[in-house]
Amino acid sequence: MSNKDKNVLALCTCGSGKDYNECCGRFIETLELPTETPEHILRSRYTSYNRSKGEYLLKSWHQSFRPKKNAKQIVREGANIKYTGLKVLNVEFDDTKGKISYEVRYRDGMRFGSYATTSNFIKEEGYWYYTNDDSDV
């Protein structure tokens, strides 16, 4: 494998163009939550779905909205889906809450699809958490 191939494999799947360890990996692999913006939590959750990192998915869900499932169940539910693209459309946030509209492309078996949604986030004790999608309300 060439150095170019190794670099491509190390790119973060969130679409930032950054190395995984410098991007979402710094949160996912350490189970640390983002403090900067809600976009970091959106991107890291997208990447954790792609990498089957259920522990991070649960930790990044605000406790008031977190499903009553364990990490293995969360991963198993999405096992057939491969996310192939994330496009952030709009980001709005203040010191305590955020809202992000985005589009996701995916492959489910041999079927390809996409959906657009808006997710909500809150900042508590300095950390951002995912709460729900507008379609969940």
Side-chain angles (χ1 to χ4, degrees):
M1 181 180 294
S2 72
N3 284 338
K4 182 180 177 185
D5 292 335
K6 288 178 186 174
N7 288 338
V8 169
L9 292 176
L11 286 179
C12 191
T13 59
C14 79
S16 67
K18 297 178 184 175
D19 178 79
Y20 171 73
N21 291 321
E22 295 173 7
C23 193
C24 297
R26 65 188 170 126
F27 305 118
I28 296 167
E29 300 303 326
T30 62
L31 293 179
E32 290 292 322
L33 297 174
T35 58
E36 298 96 341
T37 72
E39 187 171 348
H40 286 107
I41 196 93
L42 172 77
R43 289 184 177 279
S44 60
R45 284 178 57 81
Y46 171 87
T47 300
S48 62
Y49 273 108
N50 262 343
R51 290 180 168 255
S52 299
K53 300 288 189 169
E55 295 292 333
Y56 182 78
L57 288 167
L58 285 176
K59 184 171 183 178
S60 62
W61 232 311
H62 188 271
Q63 62 187 356
S64 299
F65 295 84
R66 191 176 297 144
K68 293 177 179 16
K69 299 175 184 174
N70 65 40
K72 287 182 182 179
Q73 289 171 312
I74 298 284
V75 168
R76 194 171 30 246
E77 286 177 356
N80 293 330
I81 298 171
K82 172 70 175 160
Y83 294 98
T84 59
L86 171 66
K87 181 178 180 182
V88 175
L89 304 172
N90 188 51
V91 179
E92 297 174 17
F93 69 98
D94 59 27
D95 292 337
T96 60
K97 62 185 179 313
K99 187 177 278 272
I100 302 177
S101 299
Y102 59 98
E103 180 180 40
V104 171
R105 291 183 311 281
Y106 65 90
R107 184 182 76 227
D108 186 355
M110 296 300 292
R111 216 180 57 202
F112 291 86
S114 67
Y115 66 89
T117 190
T118 300
S119 290
N120 300 293
F121 304 86
I122 59 172
K123 191 172 191 178
E124 232 175 52
E125 297 181 12
Y127 297 100
W128 284 102
Y129 294 89
Y130 167 76
T131 58
N132 64 332
D133 288 350
D134 282 351
S135 60
D136 294 340
V137 180

